[in-house]
Amino acid sequence: AQSVAQPEDQVNVAEGNPLTVKCTYSVSGNPYLFWYVQYPNRGLQFLLKYITGDNLVKGSYGFEAEFNKSQTSFHLKKPSALVSDSALYFCAVRDMYPSGGSYIPTFGRGTSLIVHP
Amino acid sequence: GAVVSQHPSRVICKSGTSVKIECRSLDFQATTMFWYRQFPKKSLMLMATSNEGSKATYEQGVEKDKFLINHASLTLSTLTVTSAHPEDSSFYICSASSRQWEGDTQYFGPGTRLTVL
């Protein structure tokens, strides 16, 4: 079975400061990991993914995430937050070779990021 | 990036009527399409998964006779909410993915806001 946890409902950060949105996962094998962002009344937009290779993944809008296998984490980061980054962020995981043949990713419950001017 | 459209973006209907929501992948062929429901400030609830040309697989607790899903082609899936009631009011989001070896990156539509009076 696969699962993902976003331990924070909300993250508050001042504009210009670095931000981190946390995500931990559990899979039986190797993971595929994703981050998505959702602006109000919109669908989700793909930010970045980890499939294999470098543990540090760079994505859209200056975001990056670091895959840490020992800590089973995939935290989303940005060096300098913008007010426009305020949105709902979702982490998702999928087992690379799922048993039973299901390739459906599991989504976290979402973390609301609020960047204050 | 891949583009997924949804139509309509917003619909208001009377209780007892049926509503059809279309989801289209505009620039790629989607082997799999997903339908989600999202409650206010809540995570995504996967309703069903559909593969082109085959019956949709519904998640536990989702009524297949109430939420009819058709995936007639590699670029189009429809969700029909039959005999809608006020409790069906929600934000419905579709997503599409292609080729499982890309890690099943899902590309999301902009969502449809359904209000049942």
Side-chain angles (χ1 to χ4, degrees):
Chain A
Q2 60 194 31
S3 66
V4 62
Q6 292 181 245
E8 302 152 317
D9 279 341
Q10 185 172 301
V11 171
N12 291 277
V13 64
E15 188 174 31
N17 283 359
L19 69 88
T20 299
V21 183
K22 296 180 180 177
C23 172
T24 58
Y25 67 89
S26 175
V27 294
S28 54
N30 292 316
Y32 287 158
L33 293 153
F34 308 84
W35 275 102
Y36 293 85
V37 59
Q38 184 182 29
Y39 297 100
N41 296 311
R42 302 291 299 275
L44 278 69
Q45 294 179 31
F46 170 73
L47 275 179
L48 51 82
K49 66 183 176 185
Y50 171 82
I51 303 296
T52 186
D54 290 341
N55 290 342
L56 185 63
V57 179
K58 293 186 183 297
S60 307
Y61 312 121
F63 284 94
E64 59 187 29
E66 186 168 10
F67 170 61
N68 187 317
K69 189 170 183 178
S70 62
Q71 296 184 5
T72 61
S73 67
F74 190 58
H75 301 332
L76 181 70
K77 298 183 180 182
K78 187 173 182 179
S80 179
L82 300 172
V83 173
S84 57
D85 292 330
S86 299
L88 191 56
Y89 290 81
F90 291 95
C91 180
V93 68
R94 202 207 88 186
D95 200 318
M96 189 182 297
Y97 298 111
S99 60
S102 174
Y103 291 89
I104 303 173
T106 298
F107 281 78
R109 61 181 183 177
T111 298
S112 179
L113 173 66
I114 299 175
V115 181
H116 302 278
Chain B
V3 180
V4 176
S5 69
Q6 261 182 264
H7 178 79
S9 58
R10 183 181 295 268
V11 59
I12 300 173
C13 68
K14 292 182 178 180
S15 185
T17 61
S18 294
V19 175
K20 180 185 283 188
I21 303 170
E22 290 188 350
C23 177
R24 293 181 186 271
S25 56
L26 299 184
D27 52 1
F28 68 103
Q29 292 186 325
T31 47
T32 307
M33 285 187 167
F34 305 82
W35 286 96
Y36 293 86
R37 182 172 177 176
Q38 186 178 35
F39 298 93
K41 297 185 179 180
K42 292 292 186 182
S43 187
L44 303 170
M45 183 192 82
L46 179 65
M47 298 174 67
T49 306
S50 70
N51 295 297
E52 184 266 339
S54 61
K55 289 184 178 180
T57 301
Y58 289 81
E59 295 299 299
Q60 192 172 8
V62 178
E63 300 175 60
K64 60 181 67 175
D65 294 331
K66 180 165 186 64
F67 298 99
L68 301 178
I69 291 172
N70 182 274
H71 192 162
S73 75
L74 284 171
T75 60
L76 173 65
S77 177
T78 61
L79 166 68
T80 301
V81 183
T82 62
S83 186
H85 288 93
E87 58 265 29
D88 298 325
S89 298
S90 192
F91 193 53
Y92 292 88
I93 311 175
C94 73
S95 71
S97 67
S98 68
R99 300 198 305 169
Q100 291 165 350
W101 53 88
E102 285 185 348
D104 271 337
T105 301
Q106 291 184 51
Y107 297 96
F108 285 80
T112 297
R113 173 76 58 192
L114 171 63
T115 303
V116 184
L117 302 176

